[in-house]
Amino acid sequence: MNRVLIASPLRSYTGGAAEVPGHGATVDEVVRNLDGEYPGIRFRMIDEQDRIRPHIKFAVGTTFVWSLDTPVEDGDDVHIIAALSGG
């Protein structure tokens, strides 16, 4: 099991929770399992071509990752970070 730290703009999907449990051997599996628990959250992070959206970043532990195929070990924290914009 992993701990997934949810960026504030995505917390409407998790009922306001900043942390949720996650499961999966890769970032993709963790995100797909999150979507099963919190429908619609994956589409906010991953586009129709299965690419990470430009305003979303993932980190496993303290390392930023750029691929959904990145392995996730049991006990790793998975951070979902969303860029904010405005003017």
Side-chain angles (χ1 to χ4, degrees):
M1 182 180 304
N2 311 92
R3 181 172 66 151
V4 182
L5 295 109
I6 306 293
S8 341
L10 299 172
R11 291 181 190 163
S12 61
Y13 291 92
T14 62
E19 295 179 12
V20 296
H23 308 336
T26 64
V27 172
D28 186 49
E29 286 182 15
V30 170
V31 170
R32 287 181 186 278
N33 288 329
L34 278 178
D35 197 60
E37 184 71 25
Y38 309 104
I41 196 169
R42 184 178 189 278
F43 185 73
R44 292 281 311 273
M45 299 181 285
I46 309 300
D47 69 15
E48 295 86 348
Q49 287 78 39
D50 285 332
R51 293 182 300 212
I52 300 169
R53 292 188 185 276
H55 65 282
I56 297 291
K57 302 291 181 243
F58 290 95
V60 176
T62 59
T63 304
F64 281 101
V65 300
W66 313 108
S67 169
L68 292 173
D69 295 330
T70 301
V72 176
E73 299 292 328
D74 192 38
D76 282 345
D77 286 344
V78 177
H79 302 259
I80 302 170
I81 301 151
L84 299 176
S85 64

